[in-house]
Amino acid sequence: MQFAPTASAGEDWVPPGDDNMFKRSLLALPVLALALGLVFLSLENEKVPAFGPEVSAPAPEDFDPSRKQEGGPDARRAWDEMRLVDPATGRIPADIHRLEQEFAAELPGRSRSAVHEAAGVEDKITGWGYRGPWNIGGRTRALAIDVSDPGYTTLLAGGISGGMWRSTNDGAAWTLTTGSSQLHSVTTVAQDTRAGHQNVWYYGTGEVRGNSAGAGGASYRGDGLFKSIDGGQTWALLPSTSGTPASGFTNMWQYVWRVAVDPSNPTQDEIYAAIYGQIMRSTDGGASWTRVLGDTVVRSRYTEVVVSSTGVVYATLSSDGAANGIFRSPDGVTWTDITPAGLTSHNRIVLGLAPSNENIMYCEVSDINGTSNEGFYKYTYLTGDGAGANGFWQDRSAIVQSLPGHDGNAPLQTYTSYCMSVAVHPENPDVVFIGGIHLYRSTDGFATSNNDAWSGGWQYPNHHAAQHYMICHPTDPAIA
């Protein structure tokens, strides 16, 4: 099956129903969240129908528009003031910044040691070392090593509600690089690894499922892609992807699952973005985009894209969309459906290419064939378009579903597409890591149950374990 690209500008989505109520909802959202004061984790805080995310509820009856001061810098000042004042006095305490710094300086060491000592699990945390970002980094969902650094000690880590962080000493210290007026939401990050372009980075925003910064009726949406041309030290929003205002669902770019750069194109700045319902392609560094996969009416909630070192592109779209499955393209323009026989329905699919043999790809599948089970496949490209007899699929779901849990906890689970990751050893295509709540390692690609082991995850009571991404060191594969 062949798919031809269709040019696409930013597609506005207007929900059915009362338009005035929709506008009031957008106006009320920031104050509603402040008045209610609720911050809680909801894995379904953005229940997305096929045509787009739901609209937030109208403002409460006690909404006071005078506190918002819409339309100018006074709004920002009033917002900051309400967050910082002492509730008892209505004033910001004197010398508060120094006191905050002193308090924050005590948090990292105290929180780590206190939790682990109380739980008696220090001996369980073996082989892994803390790398931060500490305290306000948020839940890390994006991670990369800067290939332009000869010592590979420059790291970039993005938090879903903590922004983008950069370290130049292998994680010993971190600097927040997201601007104070920018949206602090990062879901994915990618570097342009071509010689002469390694100062260029991209990160995506907006987590459609499980965002702990959101609340009921107050989803924490993203705002497209951000680009850096100074090695990740500063960032600027790509206007072609902006979803402003983030208080309402305005386009598909408000939820970005993955961004990937084609390292093989010598003349064009070719990048791909897996966004809500669509796979997008740009050849001018994100100035403009073309939709290459995905239905514009019945959209897929979950998408994914990876690019090989030779420019071969693989992408997935969940089966709730009209265009769905696993696809392959030799050039990002012409696509072939290579979905394996027997995979009839699924939610999110995460892909992992084997760096030492990019004809091999592993796929972690959430909610396979209408069940709550996780699936796992190995794909080997043979020839031609890679479909049918031109590719070889091996279903290894049964092995993954039989993985033992750690300390009596349930085995591999992804919280229905929330936490998923696949990583392949840079030198051995059979050494594979898959993540959900736990992280597992196999030395035969999960072909059997004899060569796998628990590698990380849930380790002590009340431990928040979620494996979102994993990378291996470029020159030392023993380090991940």
Side-chain angles (χ1 to χ4, degrees), residues 70-386:
E70 182 73 33
D74 285 346
R76 177 64 178 268
R77 180 177 56 80
W79 170 260
D80 286 338
E81 180 184 344
M82 284 195 289
R83 296 174 58 217
L84 298 174
V85 297
D86 184 338
T89 64
R91 295 179 179 275
I92 298 175
D95 206 18
I96 186 62
H97 184 57
R98 180 183 61 81
L99 297 174
E100 289 173 337
Q101 289 181 314
E102 290 179 356
F103 176 74
E106 296 295 324
L107 288 177
R110 183 172 68 245
S111 61
R112 292 197 308 274
S113 61
V115 171
H116 298 156
E117 183 179 353
V121 295
E122 286 289 348
D123 59 326
K124 293 184 183 180
I125 308 174
T126 57
W128 295 96
Y130 296 98
R131 284 296 182 269
W134 311 120
N135 187 20
I136 55 176
R139 174 167 48 85
T140 301
R141 191 179 175 103
L143 179 64
I145 300 175
D146 188 348
V147 300
S148 69
D149 178 359
Y152 299 109
T153 60
T154 299
L155 312 178
L156 273 73
I160 194 58
S161 57
M164 178 57 72
W165 295 76
R166 184 173 184 266
S167 172
T168 58
N169 52 14
D170 203 25
W174 294 85
T175 300
L176 178 65
T177 58
T178 305
S180 60
S181 62
Q182 294 173 331
L183 184 69
H184 287 216
S185 171
V186 180
T187 55
T188 175
V189 64
Q191 181 181 20
D192 189 337
T193 58
R194 297 174 298 166
H197 299 268
Q198 294 172 355
N199 60 308
V200 178
W201 290 76
Y202 303 88
Y203 77 71
T205 62
E207 184 181 45
V208 74
R209 178 166 177 75
N211 195 312
S212 53
S219 300
Y220 188 60
R221 301 177 180 89
D223 193 16
L225 284 186
F226 285 73
K227 182 176 181 178
S228 173
I229 58 173
D230 59 6
Q233 298 182 68
T234 61
W235 300 86
L237 174 65
L238 287 174
S240 61
T241 68
S242 179
T244 303
S247 56
F249 185 77
T250 56
N251 70 41
M252 307 302 111
W253 282 100
Q254 286 179 294
Y255 295 108
V256 182
W257 284 105
R258 193 80 68 201
V259 60
V261 180
D262 184 351
S264 70
N265 192 329
T267 60
Q268 297 174 312
D269 299 330
E270 185 175 347
I271 58 178
Y272 294 84
I275 66 175
Y276 182 81
Q278 300 169 6
I279 304 298
M280 306 295 289
R281 178 177 183 260
S282 173
T283 56
D284 53 16
S288 62
W289 297 85
T290 299
R291 177 177 57 85
V292 293
L293 279 177
D295 191 83
T296 60
V297 179
V298 183
R299 301 182 176 102
S300 297
R301 179 184 179 105
Y302 305 104
T303 59
E304 166 77 312
V305 65
V306 295
V307 185
S308 76
S309 62
T310 59
V312 176
V313 190
Y314 291 90
T316 72
L317 298 99
S318 55
S319 57
D320 53 340
N324 62 79
I326 305 175
F327 299 84
R328 182 185 185 276
S329 173
D331 54 12
V333 177
T334 302
W335 294 81
T336 301
D337 187 341
I338 62 168
T339 308
L343 181 57
T344 58
S345 69
H346 53 86
N347 280 326
R348 186 180 175 197
I349 299 178
V350 174
L351 306 176
L353 286 173
S356 61
N357 182 357
E358 291 182 320
N359 289 327
I360 296 176
M361 180 178 68
Y362 293 93
C363 310
E364 183 181 7
V365 183
S366 176
D367 303 308
I368 185 171
N369 295 339
T371 71
S372 59
N373 297 323
E374 318 308 328
F376 190 73
Y377 288 82
K378 179 183 179 181
Y379 170 76
T380 304
Y381 170 76
L382 299 178
T383 187
D385 61 8

